[in-house]
Amino acid sequence: MRLGIEVDLEYRFAEPADVLLQIEAAVTAGQKIVHEALTIWSDDPIRAVIGEDGMGQRCWSRGRDNWQASYRATVSVDRPAIDMTTLPATAPRDLDGHLVPYLLPSRYCPADRFEGFVKREFSGLEGGALAAALVDWVADALTYENSQTTGETTALETFASRGGVCRDYAHLLVSLARAGNIPARCVSAYAPGVDPPDFHAVAELWLNGAWHLADATRMAACGDLAQVAVGRDASDIAFMTVFGRAELVHQTVRVIRLQERETPMGR
């Protein structure tokens, strides 16, 4: 499947500030970039750096006055669906070092606070069977709504309120998975059908030697997602981090399915 992506950002800076932008689709085993163009209107130099775990790239910019950025891309996604219930468990002691951070609590994912709940509610399940049960539980337990969440909401608060947006679904699923000894990380992505249209956040669970995407909001299947970045939680995958203050002027994200021979977006 091919996805067409259009992103337009405009922010106002009362004082100059550094900006870390993370909106470019990554090249992975399950997706390739057919065409892309990132444009940032700035008189200052722009510098690209590698993203977390080597996934994709971030871009350093300098925000001044009215700062604008535009991203256009066509991404080909070829990622087969996997039945997670068939995948075996991996003991923590058998995990490689780079996976250990994804078993531990992080700023928005206090996994240690959920260990008792997971052991009690999902007794007897492990590995892929547990992962699938956790995805279903989060999907059924939460209601998608903006009123219950802010940029500082943790998975524990989402668990209590039973509501949130995509980042809250991802944080809670990641926390529960880690509490069940399944390495889990947050993923920023583009997906068609996200309502309202915006940057999307999902989870990725380590099972049987590989990462597997899971969207507990049920808005997107794994084959509909164009991955951008990965990390411990939202602090690592934010599409834009400002080292100072900025005021939103305008922001749009549009993702559509393209016909196989359709002209790439942005041309």
Side-chain angles (χ1 to χ4, degrees):
M1 184 184 67
R2 300 177 95 186
L3 296 177
I5 300 166
E6 293 182 346
V7 179
D8 290 294
L9 307 174
E10 183 177 355
Y11 284 79
R12 183 175 294 111
F13 289 80
E15 297 180 355
D18 288 336
V19 176
L20 185 59
L21 198 62
Q22 197 164 214
I23 63 174
E24 298 168 84
V27 175
T28 72
Q31 65 187 50
K32 65 179 181 180
I33 309 301
V34 178
H35 160 80
E36 70 174 347
L38 173 64
T39 304
I40 299 175
W41 284 265
S42 174
D43 293 330
D44 296 280
I46 297 167
R47 185 168 66 92
V49 293
I50 300 299
E52 193 81 10
D53 283 359
M55 169 82 72
Q57 70 176 20
R58 297 163 169 159
C59 184
W60 281 109
S61 176
R62 185 72 169 164
R64 298 177 188 271
D65 301 321
N66 266 52
W67 177 94
Q68 296 181 56
S70 170
Y71 179 64
R72 300 290 186 270
T74 300
V75 181
S76 177
V77 181
D78 183 12
R79 187 182 300 112
I82 301 294
D83 181 4
M84 287 194 294
T85 62
T86 65
L87 303 178
T90 301
R93 64 182 179 277
D94 293 328
L95 295 171
D96 290 337
H98 72 281
L99 295 169
V100 172
Y102 298 118
L103 274 180
L104 303 176
S106 59
R107 179 178 179 182
Y108 297 110
C109 298
D112 53 319
R113 304 291 297 274
F114 293 97
E115 291 176 359
F117 173 77
V118 171
K119 288 179 181 178
R120 181 176 65 253
E121 296 296 322
F122 302 93
S123 177
L125 296 179
E126 63 178 4
L130 174 59
L134 293 175
V135 174
D136 289 341
W137 187 89
V138 173
D140 294 338
L142 300 190
T143 299
Y144 197 95
E145 55 186 358
N146 287 310
S147 61
Q148 298 287 343
T149 185
T150 72
E152 298 299 317
T153 300
T154 69
L156 198 60
E157 292 166 317
T158 299
F159 181 80
S161 69
R162 292 295 199 268
V165 294
C166 60
R167 73 191 291 275
D168 303 305
Y169 279 71
H171 282 159
L172 184 53
L173 178 55
V174 164
S175 298
L176 294 173
R178 291 176 186 173
N181 293 330
I182 299 171
R185 62 189 185 183
C186 289
V187 180
S188 60
Y190 294 110
V194 171
D195 185 23
D198 204 345
F199 299 101
H200 198 41
V202 299
E204 203 168 31
L205 311 181
W206 180 267
L207 295 162
N208 198 34
W211 288 107
H212 300 277
L213 289 165
D215 183 4
T217 70
R218 303 299 196 205
M219 288 186 185
C222 67
D224 294 334
L225 293 164
Q227 292 174 273
V228 175
V230 298
R232 296 161 299 171
D233 52 37
S235 59
D236 290 335
I237 66 170
F239 77 92
M240 181 177 174
T241 302
V242 178
F243 294 81
R245 297 177 64 86
E247 176 188 352
L248 171 64
V249 177
H250 173 76
Q251 177 175 303
T252 58
V253 178
R254 179 171 176 252
V255 184
I256 63 172
R257 294 182 178 88
L258 298 175
Q259 298 298 321
E260 193 60 32
R261 296 182 180 276
E262 192 168 342
T263 301
M265 297 179 75
R267 288 187 177 180

